[in-house]
Amino acid sequence: MQLRTIGQIQVGAIGLGGMPMSIEGRPDEERSIATIHAALDAGVTLIDTADAYTLAGDEQGHNEELIARALRQYGGDTSGVLVATKGGHLRPEPGAWAQNGDPAYLKEAAKASAQRLGVDAIGLYQFHRPDPTVPYADSVGALAELLDEGVIRMAGISNANPDQIREAQEVLGGRLVSVQNQFSPKFRSSLPELELCAELGIAFLPWSPLGGIQGAADLGGQGAAFEKVAEAHGVSPQQVCLAWELALAPVVIPIPGASRPASIQDSALAAELTLTAEEIEALSK
Ligand SMILES: NC(=O)c1ccc[n+]([C@@H]2O[C@H](COP(=O)([O-])OP(=O)(O)OC[C@H]3O[C@@H](n4cnc5c(N)ncnc54)[C@H](OP(=O)(O)O)[C@@H]3O)[C@@H](O)[C@H]2O)c1
């Protein structure tokens, strides 16, 4: 698979989002493991997770543990796989999401994630979402300490605006390697953050890149233009969507979610799909 860069590390240009395998509507474990193994077989080497991908807080870390088990059970070499997890979000009860950006909490959460992932140091740790009750610099400061202490190898942020990206880069002393924001044909308002990341050479990981778990089938209602291009190439509109995102900047690494092997097998092929300049322009309108 075509490779892209996060920090000093090269990963497949299409990652796997783990969320659909742990939140509401998740499949049984056998299908989830088969999905993760299908991703690895297809050349995926970035897997995105979070301690909050659960049904509710009493099973915090469900997705991290699932991914760790799948990697252990995989027959091939997984040494080049980067597992990117996140902290700072909570699921206090089914269906609800809450935030905690307290630095002491984040430091404990990262250590718990490392334990669940079965690693000495987390490959990429991302602050999940700004907590309005905690100064952003304080939350990101916890990531700086985690880097200095060797609990995490690389630091990223998520759901950040351009000012927060600049602030995080400053607090981390230039060590910010990734920004994970919502971006899809339906949700394009993160384009300024994508462009800033391209300018700064920071990886940009679009989340819900197909329009989200409920919206992926028709790309969040934006499918028509993508279907036309898909027909011309004989591929799925989802593949065209991911190839279009890859074409927007070399720092873009989409992380489509999947709960079935066929979904990630199809998505992974987007890394090899080249769209014409005219197609990219038409899809960007
Ligand atoms: N940082 C944040 O705040 C945040 C928020 C949300 C999500 N995320 C991350 O971003 C990842 C992706 O977002 P998402 O899972 O919400 O939405 P998404 O990637 O836009 O859509 C996921 C759905 O797309 C379907 N799909 C995937 N590839 C397909 C293909 N080639 N053809 C047809 N359908 C396909 C999957 O169906 P099946 O289930 O049937 O396989 C899956 O349920 C998450 O898994 C999570 O890791 C981060």
Side-chain angles (χ1 to χ4, degrees), residues 48 53 158-159 180 207-208 210 212 216 255 257 259-260 263 266-267:
D48 181 73
Y53 293 162
S158 181
N159 299 300
Q180 182 179 142
W207 67 254
S208 292
L210 300 172
I255 46 167
S259 68
R260 292 176 300 117
S263 305
D266 185 67
S267 293

Side-chain angles (χ1 to χ4, degrees), residues 22-52:
S22 287
I23 68 163
E24 295 84 348
R26 70 191 185 197
D28 61 28
E29 170 132 347
E30 194 183 341
R31 196 173 102 193
S32 292
I33 299 271
T35 301
I36 297 164
H37 288 178
L40 298 170
D41 289 343
V44 168
T45 54
L46 169 65
I47 303 180
D48 181 73
T49 180
D51 59 3

Side-chain angles (χ1 to χ4, degrees), residues 173-205:
R175 295 179 290 175
L176 177 68
V177 301
S178 66
V179 173
Q180 182 179 142
N181 275 13
Q182 184 173 14
F183 186 83
S184 66
K186 180 184 162 199
F187 191 97
R188 302 183 188 211
S189 56
S190 275
L191 198 56
E193 288 87 10
L194 187 159
E195 287 169 349
L196 179 61
C197 286
E199 184 191 318
L200 299 175
I202 294 170
F204 183 87
L205 281 45

